[in-house]
Amino acid sequence: MRRLNVRRLPWPTDWAELFGAERPLVLEIGFGQGHFLLHLARERADANLVGLEISNRCLTRVERSVERQGLRQVRLIHGMAETALQFLFTPASIDEVHVNFPDPWFRKRHRHRRLMQRDTLDLLVNRLRPGADLTLATDIRAYAEMSHDLLAATPGLDNRLDAPWAESLPGRVVTRYERVAREEGRSCYFMAWRRNEGPPPAAPGAKELPMPHVLLQSPLSLTAIRDRFEPLQWHSGATHVSCSRVFLGERSLLFDVYVKEPNIDQHLALLLLERRNRPGEYTLQPAMYGHPRATEGLHFATNALADWLLALDAETVLLGRKTGGAEPDG
């Protein structure tokens, strides 16, 4: 089974083409050991099933089960839910979403990693078709209360239950995690909501730009530029870039860059390459290993590093720039 990755799939993804058939699109976020997803696949031959998971160990285990059982309508994707929801799915494209026992991230400094938070839930609901169902299961009472408050305050959703949650849902398979929770004396809380016909929350869509590059002319050699380097950081709104190291090659410098922007983080390299037969002329562009995606954050990082290079020497000049993006704060 070919492993799929949110960074390598087309943005947005044509799911009918990927599955080879136009069917209702069902998503499970964080499938873990795969008990719920595999049961769903056996029961829902009429649907295209997408499982999202960040754990490589879980992915490998469930991939083997999918292959062994011949479940051809299942695709497993490695990646963060926030990244997948923004870049792989278009508005009103998902018919059903299941979130089973998400990590509660108890520590205060880790709460920003929770799946159930305002921006992510708005993004998820934006991707649901009218009439689509959203179910959430948790064994943490505080997480259930927090989630219900978020769901109740989300435009475009109606509660399918007469209460904030239920102790069970009809027809639902009991997963290993749920069984262990009950054996250890923990209650389980099941929430069931439906996308109504009202306007959904606004949410960003997939926005991939052309790959950026900058052309410079400088009296400085690659060695001289490397010797002037020190760790760099730039910020613009919610986008943060750090450049921590540089490596000298025969005709190039490789800058180690981390780009953090809303719903996606990228660890990549920017390459400063001396042009053949044109001494002193350099091209700055993303190195193609690691499959960088041309987001606004990557353009911002390329611009910021180019500006740093231009400031190194008064005789360094800009010959051309094909980039977009914001200016650094301050």
Side-chain angles (χ1 to χ4, degrees), residues 12-261:
T13 298
D14 185 333
W15 297 104
E17 180 181 357
L18 183 66
F19 282 95
E22 182 78 52
R23 291 186 288 250
L25 189 60
V26 178
L27 171 66
E28 184 181 6
I29 298 175
F31 55 77
Q33 303 300 314
H35 300 99
F36 185 89
L37 184 65
L38 294 172
H39 172 80
L40 201 61
R42 292 188 291 269
E43 297 292 318
R44 295 290 305 276
D46 65 318
N48 292 331
L49 303 177
V50 176
L52 279 175
E53 181 56 59
I54 196 61
S55 165
N56 277 301
R57 184 172 61 179
C58 291
L59 276 158
T60 299
R61 181 175 299 172
V62 179
E63 282 167 357
R64 291 171 181 164
S65 297
V66 169
E67 287 180 335
R68 187 170 58 251
Q69 298 179 36
L71 302 173
R72 299 182 180 276
Q73 84 279 27
V74 178
R75 297 293 183 273
L76 307 180
I77 299 175
H78 182 251
M80 298 293 292
E82 298 85 349
T83 306
L85 288 168
Q86 177 169 343
F87 293 102
L88 301 188
F89 300 95
T90 55
S93 63
I94 304 175
D95 295 272
E96 197 174 310
V97 173
H98 301 275
V99 182
N100 292 305
F101 302 95
D103 193 325
W105 293 106
F106 287 111
R107 295 184 179 180
K108 187 174 182 179
R109 68 176 182 272
H110 291 160
R111 287 180 183 172
H112 67 282
R113 299 184 181 183
R114 286 178 172 176
L115 175 66
M116 294 299 291
Q117 50 187 312
R118 182 73 276 149
D119 290 346
T120 306
L121 183 56
D122 286 349
L123 183 56
L124 191 160
V125 175
N126 180 275
R127 291 345 188 209
L128 294 177
R129 297 185 193 277
D133 288 339
L134 167 62
T135 62
L136 169 70
T138 181
D139 59 332
I140 308 297
R141 174 74 183 227
Y143 198 90
E145 292 172 346
M146 178 271 298
S147 298
H148 174 263
D149 290 344
L150 283 171
L151 290 161
T154 303
L157 283 182
D158 292 332
N159 190 352
R160 292 157 49 201
L161 304 175
D162 295 329
W165 51 71
E167 294 183 358
S168 62
L169 291 178
R172 177 187 168 87
V173 64
V174 177
T175 65
R176 179 177 178 275
Y177 190 97
E178 179 184 346
R179 185 174 66 253
V180 170
R182 293 190 186 279
E183 288 173 353
E184 294 178 353
R186 297 193 301 276
S187 298
C188 294
Y189 309 92
F190 298 93
M191 283 160 266
W193 292 72
R194 179 164 291 157
R195 173 78 171 85
N196 59 37
E197 297 288 340
K207 186 175 183 181
E208 190 165 19
L209 306 170
M211 279 293 173
H213 73 271
V214 177
L215 185 60
L216 306 165
Q217 186 173 50
S218 176
L220 299 178
S221 67
L222 291 171
T223 301
I225 294 172
R226 181 202 60 183
D227 292 343
R228 301 278 291 276
F229 178 81
E230 58 185 22
L232 303 164
Q233 291 190 0
W234 301 280
H235 310 279
S236 176
T239 299
H240 307 279
V241 174
S242 61
C243 181
S244 57
R245 297 177 293 177
V246 64
F247 303 92
L248 177 64
E250 183 179 351
R251 292 179 43 246
S252 64
L253 287 176
L254 197 68
F255 294 89
D256 186 22
V257 177
Y258 181 75
V259 182
K260 180 177 179 60
E261 55 191 307

Side-chain angles (χ1 to χ4, degrees), residues 282-300:
Y282 300 99
T283 299
L284 178 66
Q285 62 191 35
M288 286 298 102
Y289 68 83
H291 205 80
R293 302 302 292 250
T295 61
E296 291 182 348
L298 178 56
H299 277 252
F300 171 70

